[in-house]
Amino acid sequence: MHHLHRRALLGAAAALPFAAPALAAFPDQPVRITVPWPAGGLADLSIRVLAPAMANTFGQPVVVENRAGANGAVGTQSVARAAPDGHALILANAETHAINPLIYPRLPYDAVRDFTPVTVFARAPFVLIRRPGLAADSLEALIALARAAPGRITYASWGIGSTAHLAMEMLARSAGVQMLHVPFTGSAPAGTALQGGQVDVMFITAGAGEAAARDGRVKILAAGSPTRIPLLPDVPTLAELGQPIEAGNWYGLLGPARVPDAVAARIAQVTTEALRAPATEDRYRALATLPLMTGPDQARAFIAADRARWEPLVRALDIRIE
């Protein structure tokens, strides 16, 4: 009996490293977060604000690396192929994990099967801005102009199938109007074209919209957030103005497929702690970015719901990019 009991104990001890895989040791090396776009954009800033606090809690460096290319696919694919131990994460958004899978039939990754959702940590609401000199100082006036001359009002975006493109099409459908899409290679050139009067309107991240509107030549007509944005308390939401749609992006952290549950939960917890730091709250307010605190299960559900929200519109517009 004693002999059997001893063998059972040995068996249990041998199983322990597998029962609690690596959480005791996580992280045992730097945590690398790949941002699949160039440095300096809002996605990049939103995680760089959090990285020092995360590193402090982890006791390991948190290294943010930019790997731009192919509309986010280059960096995203590199993390899909990394070891699933939690030390390699991708900064994901609506485009990498909800929209691109619907419009790129040959994407080099499967947005669901190849990733472990960890957390969705921020929303980046858009605002609708109009160019200098456009005779529309309200959303109602813009809709009236578009209705009077279908296809005459032009709008900028940072590419076909981008969140800015799809959000404007969602608004046009909600309002029952037609506008002409003018895609650019990024949000900066699109914003420059609008400020120069070459295009009429666009959706842009709220912080960038606030900066563009400071001199009064560009006007903000509405916010795409569920509630008013703290940085722009006087700007009404689209829903308040009778157009019940949301326009914006989100940012999350995902690991490769098969990251252990305990490791994913730990990363989500540390991200949430970093979001709660007073310095983060101040910085996020200035960037007009809204913190979200989600664990792995909530993140998975959030991304699936976002994809389901865009899918009918992508099908209706028949957007496919080979």
Side-chain angles (χ1 to χ4, degrees), residues 31 146 194 201 252:
V31 175
L194 181 130
V201 292

Coordinates of all heavy atoms in Angstrom, one line a residue, residues 31 146 194 201 252:
V31 N 9.2 39.8 -23.8 CA 7.9 39.7 -24.5 C 8.0 40.6 -25.7 O 8.2 41.8 -25.5 CB 6.7 40.0 -23.6 CG1 5.4 40.0 -24.4 CG2 6.7 39.1 -22.4
A146 N -25.4 65.5 -50.1 CA -25.2 64.2 -50.8 C -26.5 63.7 -51.4 O -26.4 63.1 -52.5 CB -24.7 63.2 -49.7
L194 N -7.7 66.2 -47.6 CA -8.9 66.8 -47.1 C -8.6 68.3 -46.7 O -9.3 69.2 -47.0 CB -9.5 66.0 -46.0 CG -10.8 66.7 -45.4 CD1 -11.9 65.6 -45.3 CD2 -10.6 67.3 -44.1
V201 N -14.9 65.0 -47.4 CA -15.1 64.5 -46.0 C -14.3 63.2 -45.8 O -13.8 62.6 -46.8 CB -16.6 64.1 -45.7 CG1 -17.5 65.4 -45.6 CG2 -17.2 63.1 -46.7
G252 N -5.9 45.1 -30.1 CA -5.9 43.9 -29.2 C -4.5 43.2 -29.3 O -3.7 43.5 -30.2

